[in-house]
Amino acid sequence: MTNQTSGTSRPRRSAKPTIADVAALAGVSVSAVSKVVNGRSGISAPTRQRVLDAADKLRWSPSVTAVALRGARTRAIGMVAGRSSDLLATDPHFTVLISGIERELAPADYGLLLHIVGEEPGAEERAYRRLAAERRVDGVILTESRIDDPRFELLRQLRLPAVLVGVPWQADPVVSVQAAGQEAGVRAAVRHLVELGHREIAYVSGPEDRVHTVFRRRIFESTLAGLGLRPGPVLISDFSAQGAVAATEELLAAPAERRPTAVLFANDTMAVAAMNAARRLGFEVPRDLSVIGYDDLPLGEWVYPRLTTIGQDLFRLGQATAAKMFRLLDPALAVAEPPPLRPPELVVRESTGPATPL
Amino acid sequence: MTNQTSGTSRPRRSAKPTIADVAALAGVSVSAVSKVVNGRSGISAPTRQRVLDAADKLRWSPSVTAVALRGARTRAIGMVAGRSSDLLATDPHFTVLISGIERELAPADYGLLLHIVGEEPGAEERAYRRLAAERRVDGVILTESRIDDPRFELLRQLRLPAVLVGVPWQADPVVSVQAAGQEAGVRAAVRHLVELGHREIAYVSGPEDRVHTVFRRRIFESTLAGLGLRPGPVLISDFSAQGAVAATEELLAAPAERRPTAVLFANDTMAVAAMNAARRLGFEVPRDLSVIGYDDLPLGEWVYPRLTTIGQDLFRLGQATAAKMFRLLDPALAVAEPPPLRPPELVVRESTGPATPL
DNA sequence: ATGAAAGCGCTAACAA
DNA sequence: TTGTTAGCGCTTTCAT
């Protein structure tokens, strides 16, 4: 009765049930159970039902660990965020993206394994190497495409399936996800400002090694050129609020005739920080300075004045990315086609207004 | 030569190396390799070195999957966020906390498996059940303690080690992490306002089923009572910016003699949204209304006016939580003692000022 | 000090 | 249709 001898029989103590317990309870073999849970053929209806009942009763579901070891999927996707936590805290960009990814992963019973590494050189590479060596994930999602991104080669070498969120640089050998017509947003923003009479328009960009940053700056310049205008000052900043404040101070310190009357920022957080900095310097938005952000985060709705921004649906972008990953790993995983991506578009609110003549 | 017969020998194709490859290269047995990587005794120095070299050369590290199956750790901690993604996007609270957790997990080679589930009833429970049934994680971190939190019983039943971030309700049977002296923050904030001459002080709290919310409201009320004052209006809101805006509109709509001259909010995001809402209604902060937030997120530094808030070091709280989890799972994992937690303290900036006499 | 071998829970070939 | 069994990569007795 109180025996605990080896594999004698079924009365397990109280540990987690295994496939063997289910098989025993259903009175079938383990392989029968396996076939049922994996939807393989060659199982009679009554048997299937008995297995299902047993599994249900025992609250059993296959151990991902064992399945993974067996060579199949780990049912996890990795993501390495190489940003300082401070930046992460300021800019919800990532959070929204991750939420979108999750929304797609969850129904497929996939998890997201997150690694937030600092910006120390090598930290990111180490994280990917470990993910691969330990066979922890089926693939990784990359964000913030970089020019000549070293991660692509690394991942190829590591044989880790990867999907990039956003704009690839040249013919980068990694699957990427983005809406067509990326240039629409910045283009519309510039036109909007020009229509409002602005002639001296500044651009505050993120670090120059980021693809999207460079890409957008080029659109900015070419749109202006197409309108026969010359671009105002272009400042390279980081993505931080402090960076935006510093840039704003610099821009507004210029003599009035060279001072920009409008600024485009690389993200909403920077734009909002800039509005506040401007006000602190005695400039009123949008009367003295028009400001445009990027991303259309909820933030923009409740600041004062409400932020005019270039909207992209990051949540949906996350979804699409995860879906692409599924298609890459195993088309059977991609249940439903996610909603299509829309190009970024200008959301006009209150932070832009007519240029005030000097 | 071109054989691919079974376990004949070593010339693996190009797949990931296994412990056997390392053993072969080092000319030892697999168990020797295992002992070396696990720091077991009974290995001579030269052997250890040969193994290390071989592992290094092959860029091998143990498969977490196999280790986990073997019954040891999965080297992953789970976290289920039961918030709408919109709230997540607005309030970086979570992000900072997660960064802190990560900082502690990473050196121990632990990953964070994140599940963002919506607010549909049952979604959260399902997520935990799956985490447990699939044996995906060694333990879970819980946030946002709730009154009579059903998760504790669930997790106990699931035999899933859990650590709670923040204030437990009564004698909840879950390990929890928080700094001593939680009441210090709100208490100092109330005193600060009273010293500035405010007598009609409002409180806008989060949902009433949250422990920290109720806890803070009580401190608010008791501090005021201790000062011989009666609390102003207490509004129950959600944690959203919209909620804060609505609450502010309600508060400011009151006739002047009953209108609060200061408000405490449940978090920084709400406070900032409220400042903007007030301005939109023609009230200037802090002249007409003093505003205090909670958390001390970076946001508060660059809004205008700069936000007075109750600071708690969420990053460090995350670290401490992960450390506690390690201690719970296996004291050997807890490498260094994390820095001690400090009680929340008032950070006075620009959003609070003297009460303007009627 | 070192190695052989038995599983951990599962899947998939192969038998029956 | 059903069951038996050999591993997946690793750790851990138990021999040697």
Side-chain angles (χ1 to χ4, degrees):
Chain A
M1 272 80 219
T2 52
N3 78 330
Q4 42 172 322
T5 41
S6 43
T8 315
S9 66
R10 169 196 19 150
R12 304 175 53 80
R13 295 215 308 285
S14 79
K16 308 258 168 70
T18 76
I19 194 174
D21 299 321
V22 176
L25 182 58
V28 298
S29 72
V30 291
S31 60
V33 178
S34 173
K35 279 170 190 154
V36 169
V37 299
N38 292 295
R40 297 273 172 285
S41 59
I43 293 290
S44 68
T47 304
R48 143 168 286 106
Q49 197 49 54
R50 289 223 310 289
V51 168
L52 258 22
D53 289 346
D56 212 57
K57 187 160 178 187
L58 261 28
R59 289 184 166 292
W60 173 85
S61 53
S63 149
V64 272
T65 310
V67 174
L69 179 57
R70 194 53 241 289
R73 320 251 76 115
T74 61
R75 287 193 168 278
I77 300 298
M79 188 164 165
V80 177
R83 275 200 179 196
S84 76
S85 62
D86 204 57
L87 217 49
L88 236 34
T90 318
D91 186 2
H93 178 105
F94 254 97
T95 317
V96 181
L97 194 62
I98 288 176
S99 300
I101 293 172
E102 270 289 331
R103 162 80 106 249
E104 198 71 15
L105 295 186
D109 199 10
Y110 260 70
L112 182 69
L113 193 68
L114 192 63
H115 273 290
I116 298 175
V117 303
E119 283 167 325
E120 318 87 69
E124 213 176 1
E125 176 173 342
R126 267 200 310 282
Y128 286 117
R129 283 197 183 281
R130 251 184 9 215
L131 242 26
E134 299 176 337
R135 296 167 198 68
R136 244 183 199 294
V137 296
D138 294 342
V140 292
I141 289 175
L142 266 39
T143 64
E144 302 217 275
S145 179
R146 307 209 270 270
I147 293 174
D148 296 326
D149 205 318
R151 296 175 298 177
F152 301 155
E153 169 57 19
L154 175 64
L155 261 12
R156 205 188 47 69
Q157 183 184 311
L158 258 24
R159 296 181 144 64
L160 249 192
V163 176
L164 173 70
V165 180
V167 199
W169 186 247
Q170 300 181 340
D172 284 325
V174 158
V175 179
S176 71
V177 176
Q178 65 171 324
Q182 280 296 315
E183 60 292 340
V186 173
R187 200 177 296 269
V190 171
R191 290 211 177 110
H192 168 64
L193 291 173
V194 170
E195 276 165 18
L196 286 169
H198 296 275
R199 290 298 172 266
E200 189 72 15
I201 304 175
Y203 188 89
V204 178
S205 100
E208 282 264 276
D209 63 333
R210 297 303 200 283
V211 173
H212 68 270
T213 272
V214 173
F215 177 84
R216 289 183 205 161
R217 179 168 53 68
R218 289 188 180 167
I219 304 298
F220 167 74
E221 285 162 352
S222 74
T223 306
L224 237 25
L227 261 25
L229 263 43
R230 138 199 94 56
V234 170
L235 264 46
I236 311 302
S237 176
D238 48 16
F239 288 123
S240 74
Q242 295 97 298
V245 170
T248 306
E249 286 167 352
E250 183 178 338
L251 290 172
L252 295 180
E257 67 283 5
R258 283 182 32 234
R259 184 194 305 141
T261 59
V263 197
L264 254 68
F265 284 91
N267 64 43
D268 283 350
T269 312
M270 294 177 82
V272 171
M275 290 203 290
N276 292 309
R279 187 176 306 144
R280 211 178 291 280
L281 292 169
F283 293 83
E284 196 181 301
V285 176
R287 197 197 55 196
D288 306 317
L289 184 71
S290 282
V291 170
I292 298 186
Y294 207 109
D295 277 351
D296 192 18
L297 299 174
L299 174 72
E301 289 260 29
W302 48 263
V303 291
Y304 179 83
R306 293 194 180 85
L307 183 68
T308 294
T309 185
I310 296 167
Q312 56 175 341
D313 193 336
L314 289 170
F315 186 88
R316 198 176 279 200
L317 184 59
Q319 279 187 85
T321 306
K324 190 89 156 195
M325 174 62 82
F326 281 156
R327 228 166 299 133
L328 186 64
L329 292 177
D330 176 1
L333 286 170
V335 226
E337 192 71 16
L341 255 25
R342 285 175 335 215
E345 60 186 25
L346 183 67
V347 180
V348 178
R349 289 198 276 247
E350 305 164 353
S351 66
T352 44
T356 313
L358 279 177
Chain B
M1 273 80 223
T2 53
N3 77 333
Q4 43 172 323
T5 42
S6 43
T8 314
S9 67
R10 171 194 16 153
R12 303 176 54 82
R13 297 212 311 284
S14 78
K16 310 257 167 72
T18 75
I19 193 173
D21 299 319
V22 176
L25 182 59
V28 298
S29 71
V30 292
S31 55
V33 177
S34 173
K35 280 169 188 154
V36 169
V37 300
N38 292 294
R40 296 272 170 287
S41 60
I43 295 290
S44 70
T47 304
R48 144 168 285 107
Q49 197 51 55
R50 290 224 309 290
V51 169
L52 258 22
D53 289 346
D56 212 56
K57 188 161 179 185
L58 261 29
R59 288 184 168 291
W60 173 85
S61 50
S63 149
V64 272
T65 311
V67 174
L69 179 56
R70 191 54 241 287
R73 318 251 79 114
T74 61
R75 287 193 168 278
I77 300 298
M79 190 163 161
V80 177
R83 275 201 181 196
S84 76
S85 62
D86 203 58
L87 218 48
L88 236 35
T90 318
D91 185 2
H93 178 106
F94 255 95
T95 318
V96 181
L97 194 62
I98 289 176
S99 300
I101 293 172
E102 270 290 329
R103 163 79 107 252
E104 197 70 16
L105 294 186
D109 199 10
Y110 260 70
L112 182 69
L113 193 68
L114 193 62
H115 273 291
I116 298 176
V117 302
E119 284 168 323
E120 318 86 69
E124 213 176 1
E125 175 173 343
R126 266 200 310 282
Y128 285 117
R129 283 195 183 283
R130 254 188 2 219
L131 242 27
E134 297 175 339
R135 292 168 201 68
R136 244 183 200 293
V137 296
D138 293 343
V140 293
I141 288 175
L142 267 39
T143 65
E144 301 216 276
S145 179
R146 306 211 270 271
I147 293 175
D148 296 326
D149 205 318
R151 297 175 297 177
F152 301 154
E153 169 57 19
L154 174 64
L155 261 12
R156 204 188 49 68
Q157 183 184 312
L158 257 25
R159 293 181 144 65
L160 206 49
V163 176
L164 172 70
V165 180
V167 199
W169 185 247
Q170 301 183 339
D172 284 326
V174 159
V175 179
S176 71
V177 177
Q178 65 170 323
Q182 280 297 315
E183 59 293 340
V186 172
R187 202 176 294 269
V190 170
R191 290 211 177 109
H192 168 64
L193 291 173
V194 170
E195 276 163 18
L196 286 169
H198 296 275
R199 290 297 173 267
E200 189 72 15
I201 305 175
Y203 188 89
V204 177
S205 99
E208 282 265 274
D209 63 333
R210 296 305 199 284
V211 174
H212 68 269
T213 273
V214 173
F215 178 83
R216 289 183 204 159
R217 179 167 54 69
R218 288 188 181 168
I219 305 296
F220 168 74
E221 286 163 352
S222 74
T223 306
L224 236 26
L227 259 27
L229 289 141
R230 139 198 92 57
V234 170
L235 264 46
I236 310 302
S237 176
D238 49 16
F239 288 123
S240 74
Q242 295 97 298
V245 170
T248 307
E249 286 167 353
E250 184 177 337
L251 291 173
L252 295 179
E257 67 281 5
R258 283 181 33 232
R259 185 193 304 141
T261 58
V263 197
L264 254 68
F265 284 92
N267 65 42
D268 284 350
T269 313
M270 294 178 82
V272 171
M275 288 202 292
N276 291 308
R279 187 177 305 144
R280 209 179 292 281
L281 293 170
F283 293 83
E284 195 180 303
V285 176
R287 196 197 57 195
D288 306 318
L289 185 70
S290 283
V291 170
I292 299 187
Y294 207 109
D295 278 350
D296 192 18
L297 299 173
L299 173 74
E301 290 260 27
W302 49 262
V303 292
Y304 178 83
R306 293 193 180 87
L307 182 67
T308 294
T309 185
I310 296 166
Q312 55 175 342
D313 194 336
L314 289 170
F315 187 88
R316 196 175 281 201
L317 185 58
Q319 279 188 84
T321 305
K324 190 88 156 197
M325 174 62 83
F326 281 158
R327 230 165 299 134
L328 186 64
L329 293 176
D330 175 3
L333 287 169
V335 227
E337 192 69 16
L341 292 173
R342 285 177 336 219
E345 61 186 23
L346 183 67
V347 181
V348 177
R349 289 198 277 248
E350 305 164 354
S351 66
T352 44
T356 311
L358 280 177

